[in-house]
Amino acid sequence: MKRTAVARFGGLAAFSLSGLALWGSPPPVPQAARFDEKRGLIELPEPHSPFVAFNIWVKVGSQNDPPGKEGLAALTAALLAEGSTREDPYESILAKLYPMAAGYSYSVDKEMTVFTGRVHRDNLDNYYALFRNALLSPAFKEEDFARVKSQTMNYLERGRRYGRDEELTKELLFALAYRGTPYEHPEEGYVESVSSITLEDVRDFYASTYLRNNLVVAVGGGYPEGFPSRVRNDFDRLPEGRVPWVPPPRPRTPERVEVLIVEKPTDATPVSIGFPIHLLRGDNDFFDLLVFNSWLGEHRNSFSHLYQVIRERRGMNYGDYSYIEAFPLGYATQQPPVNVARRSQLFEIWLRPISNTTPTDLHPRVVFATRAALRELDRVVRYGLPSEEVERTKQFLWNYTVHWGNTLSRRLAYAVDDVFYGIPAPGYLAQIRPGLERVTPESVREALRVHLRSPGYYLVFITRNARELKDLLVRGAPTPITYPGPQPREILEEDQEIARYPIPVREEDVRILDISQVFQRPMGSAW
């Protein structure tokens, strides 16, 4: 989804329940971005910063890929960011960027394509000329296209299938939930679809979607006066046109438990669990679910309840997390990703790979961990969060979320996402602390009732001996686990409940797919 394009170098506050300032001193107010809707221009002035950051948002994504050409949006962006321009060959671009200790990158998600970069203002003019030319003056050389496409095919055929299983389960979860919609296919496309893409396809996609009225220019930092307008004027050289509107996807809420098991030789099994939710950033109850989700599964953080239950108390894997917004490439970052804004989201639980401790206990351990996660979700949806846990989580987020905008580039990216979601100034980052102050145990309970009472859910596993795992799930037999040493009595008693927690799986609702066929083509035939 996101790849770096060229060389890039580059104590808790006091707790109180009185008054509006719940936890000590008033929050710092982030610098508000200015959005000129008519021009499609975002300015984030930070005069004391020695850097200038760019974020060019093209309003297309993988949802705009033509049928049979899935991956075209991503391949187009890759060729722009990693190819020659009419002014400079690619090798020369790399050579010029190196002494600036700078670079630029691209990201393609379901609905967004962004090109980002940052440079010291002393090198602004030289850097901007290269950045601008990459987007406005691409050479579309056959040799660049062959190189970029070959790298993409290598990823599709090898890297995606045989790299990080835990990330692959997440992609497969989204493919299941969004079957038959423009969100179904991964951003990079399928093996067969990308192999059919030609340089002419890329040229045509660029010409029909990279339009001056279909992009937003965002500039932040210590830039000279008038510089953002200069950038916007440059991008106004693009032609005007119309990109066909893609309606929001309508994912299917499962009525039962639907399971996909990918057959692959492996000693550890990741798990993804999820279902669609009707919640977007900016909704009235968004912060209620933000608090719930942080308590249940804050990403890569020991504060997470699932982390404590599965990893800390039982030592079963590296981490266990949950999400109310898409969180791609979670293995690579702790902070929430930016510029992956979407008009539809899943609630998702991600169990990082669970390994065997004996030659025969892999699948019982995997099912046990899955049961533990589902049991914790069921309990909190049924009974809500105790008031002390709500307040503890609000305090955690009060301090933790200030780091989400810790760089100029991230603050600028959040400003772009604000425009996507229609969040007014001063923007999402500035709204977090006031939003947390409004959250109560009752509002969290109501948000859980509205959004997380799904009749069914999707389960995705990648494992060896897939049929054995299928049989274990369908039989529903208890899956106790053992420990290398003594455990507290309360843990062992709870283990008995977890080992029997029901996962009602029917044989006809389980599909097995060999790893060699994963994202070879659309998955419709597998279901």
Side-chain angles (χ1 to χ4, degrees):
M1 176 173 301
K2 176 173 284 189
R3 292 153 58 183
T4 299
V6 290
R8 178 181 280 192
F9 301 89
L12 297 181
F15 182 79
S16 170
L17 296 180
S18 61
L20 292 178
L22 290 182
W23 298 288
S25 60
V29 179
Q31 176 71 49
R34 302 192 294 261
F35 175 48
D36 185 334
E37 183 175 6
K38 184 177 180 180
R39 297 198 66 196
L41 176 62
I42 297 172
E43 298 180 60
L44 182 63
E46 297 187 2
H48 298 294
S49 173
F51 297 102
V52 177
F54 298 84
N55 189 308
I56 309 299
W57 168 30
V58 186
K59 298 180 182 179
V60 294
S62 60
Q63 69 169 6
N64 301 92
D65 290 336
K69 300 290 183 179
E70 293 87 356
L72 180 56
L75 197 60
T76 301
L79 186 57
L80 296 180
E82 299 176 357
S84 306
T85 64
R86 290 195 291 269
E87 292 76 13
D88 292 289
Y90 184 55
E91 295 76 10
S92 177
I93 294 172
L94 294 175
K96 290 181 178 181
L97 285 168
Y98 183 81
M100 300 184 210
Y104 47 81
S105 63
Y106 75 94
S107 171
V108 176
D109 194 59
K110 304 299 185 188
E111 306 203 31
M112 304 181 79
T113 295
V114 297
F115 297 87
T116 58
R118 190 194 70 166
V119 69
H120 194 280
R121 59 188 172 199
D122 289 351
N123 298 311
L124 179 58
D125 287 340
N126 291 334
Y127 173 85
Y128 174 61
L130 297 171
F131 181 76
R132 175 194 63 210
N133 292 342
L135 299 181
L136 300 182
S137 185
F140 293 120
K141 288 185 176 180
E142 185 66 48
E143 56 265 36
D144 287 336
F145 173 75
R147 169 176 50 82
V148 172
K149 181 176 176 179
S150 175
Q151 292 170 345
T152 302
M153 291 299 298
N154 183 64
Y155 169 74
L156 299 180
E157 295 177 318
R158 299 173 183 84
R160 183 163 63 188
R161 291 170 175 168
Y162 301 102
R164 294 188 176 272
D165 291 349
E166 58 185 1
E167 186 67 19
L168 185 55
T169 61
K170 295 169 70 178
E171 292 192 64
L172 288 165
L173 176 68
F174 275 83
L176 290 182
Y178 288 100
R179 277 170 287 167
T181 79
Y183 273 26
E184 177 180 355
H185 65 277
E187 291 79 11
E188 297 86 0
Y190 303 114
V191 172
E192 292 181 1
S193 63
V194 173
S195 66
S196 74
I197 294 175
T198 66
L199 180 56
E200 193 62 30
D201 292 328
V202 171
R203 290 179 187 269
D204 291 345
F205 189 82
Y206 174 82
S208 63
T209 60
Y210 283 63
L211 308 169
R212 65 171 178 261
N213 58 316
N214 195 46
L215 59 81
V216 171
V217 170
V219 183
Y223 49 75
E225 184 176 355
F227 181 73
S229 290
R230 171 187 160 192
V231 177
R232 179 68 247 194
N233 289 339
D234 287 341
F235 279 82
D236 282 341
R237 290 160 36 195
L238 289 167
E240 188 169 327
R242 178 180 174 273
V243 177
W245 181 70
V246 179
R250 299 182 65 180
R252 187 177 63 86
T253 299
E255 293 298 322
R256 301 182 300 274
V257 180
E258 298 187 16
V259 183
L260 174 64
I261 307 175
V262 174
E263 175 73 54
K264 179 183 178 181
T266 180
D267 291 330
T269 297
V271 185
S272 281
I273 310 166
F275 52 83
I277 55 174
H278 300 288
L279 178 81
L280 295 178
R281 189 182 303 177
D283 288 352
N284 290 335
D285 50 2
F286 180 84
F287 289 110
D288 298 298
L289 278 195
L290 183 72
V291 168
F292 149 77
N293 185 71
S294 183
W295 174 85
L296 181 69
E298 184 68 52
H299 177 72
R300 296 188 69 175
N301 200 295
S302 61
F303 181 86
S304 158
H305 182 67
L306 291 178
Y307 183 102
Q308 292 296 320
V309 169
I310 300 173
R311 171 179 165 164
E312 286 297 295
R313 297 177 194 167
R314 293 172 174 86
M316 299 193 73
N317 64 353
Y318 184 73
D320 308 277
Y321 315 114
S322 64
Y323 310 93
I324 57 174
E325 294 186 298
F327 207 116
L329 304 181
Y331 63 87
T333 180
Q334 184 168 3
Q335 295 175 312
V338 289
N339 298 148
V340 292
R342 302 179 182 183
R343 291 174 293 166
S344 179
Q345 300 283 2
L346 302 184
F347 171 72
E348 179 184 358
I349 292 176
W350 184 41
L351 308 184
R352 304 193 77 171
I354 299 127
S355 61
N356 59 305
T357 58
T358 72
T360 61
D361 71 350
L362 174 61
H363 293 154
R365 285 172 56 81
V366 169
V367 175
F368 181 94
T370 304
R371 283 172 154 159
L374 290 169
R375 176 176 177 266
E376 296 304 323
L377 175 64
D378 182 42
R379 284 155 57 95
V380 71
V381 171
R382 284 175 182 267
Y383 306 115
L385 273 180
S387 58
E388 62 270 18
E389 292 301 308
V390 171
E391 294 305 319
R392 187 172 72 94
T393 307
K394 288 166 64 176
Q395 181 185 12
F396 168 78
L397 287 172
W398 183 270
N399 293 285
Y400 186 62
T401 57
V402 296
H403 302 290
W404 290 359
N406 62 347
T407 68
L408 171 62
S409 295
R410 286 185 61 84
R411 291 189 291 275
L412 189 63
Y414 271 110
V416 171
D417 289 344
D418 287 342
V419 173
F420 181 99
Y421 286 114
I423 297 176
Y428 173 65
L429 291 178
Q431 290 180 2
I432 292 176
R433 282 185 164 184
L436 292 174
E437 290 179 327
R438 296 191 296 269
V439 173
T440 66
E442 293 74 24
S443 65
V444 171
R445 187 175 297 112
E446 177 63 14
L448 292 173
R449 185 191 68 80
V450 170
H451 295 290
L452 293 190
R453 290 187 179 273
S454 176
Y457 47 87
Y458 299 104
L459 272 174
V460 180
F461 305 89
I462 297 177
T463 192
R464 67 174 188 257
N465 301 327
R467 293 193 179 278
E468 291 183 8
L469 177 57
K470 174 183 175 179
D471 291 343
L472 184 59
L473 288 168
V474 171
R475 285 190 291 110
T479 52
I481 61 172
T482 59
Y483 299 93
Q487 295 294 314
R489 186 175 67 179
E490 58 268 23
I491 293 292
L492 298 176
E493 290 176 351
E494 187 179 43
D495 281 0
Q496 294 181 26
E497 295 183 17
I498 294 172
R500 290 174 170 80
Y501 183 83
I503 304 178
V505 176
R506 306 193 316 183
E507 185 171 7
E508 59 267 33
D509 292 327
V510 182
R511 298 293 183 271
I512 295 176
L513 187 66
D514 190 78
I515 188 65
S516 64
Q517 296 302 306
V518 167
F519 293 138
Q520 180 74 15
R521 60 185 66 88
M523 291 178 57
S525 59
W527 290 89

